[in-house]
Amino acid sequence: MRRGRPEAHGEPRSVLADETEGYLLAHTHRDQAQREAEELCARMPWLTTAQAEELTVHYVRRRLDVTRQLMRDTVRRAEELRREYESRYAELRSALLRRHAAGACAVLACAAGAGSLAAGVLTR
C-alpha cells in the first residue's frame, strides 16, 4: 500500500482505496488459512467435529499471527531500505552538484583566460 503517494498518472491514492485493499488482502489470507486448516483436518479422519473445529480455529489464528508478523517485518525492512536509498540518493545528488559546479567554474576560468588572451592578441 502506498499511503498518499502519487500514482504513475500523478493522482494520489485515496485512503479508502488503501483501507479497502488492506481489508481484501487480510480477508484473502484468512480464507486461505481456513482452507488449509480444513484440508489438514480432512487428512485426520479420527478427529471429532469439535476437535476439528478447535484445530481449525487454532490453525487460522496462528497462521494470521505469522502473516501479520511477516507483513510488519516487510514494512519495517521497506522503511529501512527507503531511508538507505534516500540517503544514498542525497549523497549522489550532492556529489553530482559539486562536480557540475567545478566543471562550470573550469569552463568559466577557461573562457576568461581565452578572452584575456584574445584581448591581448587583438590589442597588439
Side-chain angles (χ1 to χ4, degrees):
M1 289 185 260
R2 291 166 244 132
R3 296 180 200 150
R5 292 200 175 112
E7 285 292 307
H9 49 80
E11 293 181 18
R13 292 176 56 114
S14 75
V15 174
L16 179 60
D18 286 343
E19 288 178 1
T20 303
E21 180 183 12
Y23 172 80
L24 293 173
L25 183 61
H27 193 71
T28 300
H29 280 283
R30 189 196 172 290
D31 288 346
Q32 183 179 359
Q34 182 76 30
R35 280 190 305 275
E36 290 172 6
E38 289 168 359
E39 289 172 8
L40 177 64
C41 290
R43 287 182 287 200
M44 297 182 208
W46 60 87
L47 293 176
T48 65
T49 304
Q51 290 172 329
E53 288 174 0
E54 184 178 341
L55 179 61
T56 300
V57 168
H58 177 72
Y59 181 90
V60 169
R61 185 179 305 130
R62 182 67 185 131
R63 174 77 190 293
L64 292 178
D65 288 344
V66 168
T67 300
R68 192 174 295 115
Q69 186 59 46
L70 286 172
M71 289 181 145
R72 286 182 184 138
D73 290 345
T74 301
V75 167
R76 182 188 49 76
R77 182 64 180 140
E79 290 171 355
E80 288 174 3
L81 287 173
R82 181 183 50 78
R83 284 191 298 270
E84 289 175 20
Y85 287 136
E86 285 177 350
S87 173
R88 182 66 179 143
Y89 175 76
E91 291 172 14
L92 292 172
R93 196 168 115 190
S94 177
L96 184 63
L97 179 61
R98 283 192 305 272
R99 289 178 185 151
H100 277 83
C105 287
V107 167
L108 288 174
C110 288
S116 296
L117 183 62
V121 169
L122 293 177
T123 57
R124 284 189 185 186

